[in-house]
Amino acid sequence: VEIGRPAVSSLLPLLSDKRTYVRWEAAKALSEIGDPGTAPALVKALEDDDAGIRWMAAEGLIRVEQTGLPPLLEALMEHGESSRLREGAGHVLKILAKNEKLPPQAEPVLQALHGAGSASEIPRVAKIAFETKG
């Protein structure tokens, strides 16, 4: 974390390590560094088997704020059936909204993730949000 952005390229491959503690430490460091370029990898980590890693990935996406939304929305368009992805995305969008950092075009995605509607709606609303410029 003290090294900052120069450490990112060494940390990113560790998100795929077979050892849980290595993935967690990498996710934690990337989350604290807050480099917007890590957003696609953090989005992928939202589907990790370990809940702690998913939480760290979500915290990293919250830190990069709106720059993390495009890869998050793309993932929801492609893998909206993933309950882990939906849970993590819901947390990220909820906190961004609470912090007044969620753009208006992403609000329907937050509503779909936390609403009583069908999970099959999420890719559609994510696509609309992704294609709408704020």
Side-chain angles (χ1 to χ4, degrees):
V1 173
E2 287 183 26
I3 293 171
R5 286 193 171 139
V8 167
S9 62
S10 297
L11 291 168
L12 286 173
L14 299 177
L15 287 175
S16 300
D17 196 276
K18 65 181 179 178
R19 297 165 292 183
T20 303
Y21 75 93
V22 172
R23 295 193 315 275
W24 187 87
E25 291 290 349
K28 182 174 182 354
L30 290 168
S31 174
E32 291 181 19
I33 291 170
D35 182 343
T38 64
L42 292 173
V43 167
K44 186 176 180 187
L46 289 176
E47 296 190 74
D48 195 277
D49 290 337
D50 184 81
I53 293 165
R54 294 192 305 267
W55 180 264
M56 276 298 154
E59 291 300 307
L61 289 167
I62 292 165
R63 180 171 288 233
V64 299
E65 298 179 342
Q66 293 181 17
T67 58
L69 289 179
L72 184 59
L73 293 172
E74 283 183 300
L76 288 169
M77 290 183 322
E78 296 171 13
H79 307 288
E81 75 286 350
S82 167
S83 61
R84 290 177 179 168
L85 176 61
R86 290 193 317 268
E87 180 182 9
H91 175 68
V92 170
L93 297 182
K94 180 180 173 184
I95 299 301
L96 290 179
K98 179 182 171 190
N99 295 340
E100 299 181 1
K101 301 290 185 181
L102 188 67
Q105 71 268 21
E107 289 176 16
V109 180
L110 175 60
Q111 292 169 1
L113 288 165
H114 289 289
S118 168
S120 63
E121 282 293 300
I122 292 172
R124 184 185 65 78
V125 294
K127 184 175 196 272
I128 292 168
F130 181 79
E131 294 173 347
T132 304
K133 303 297 178 213

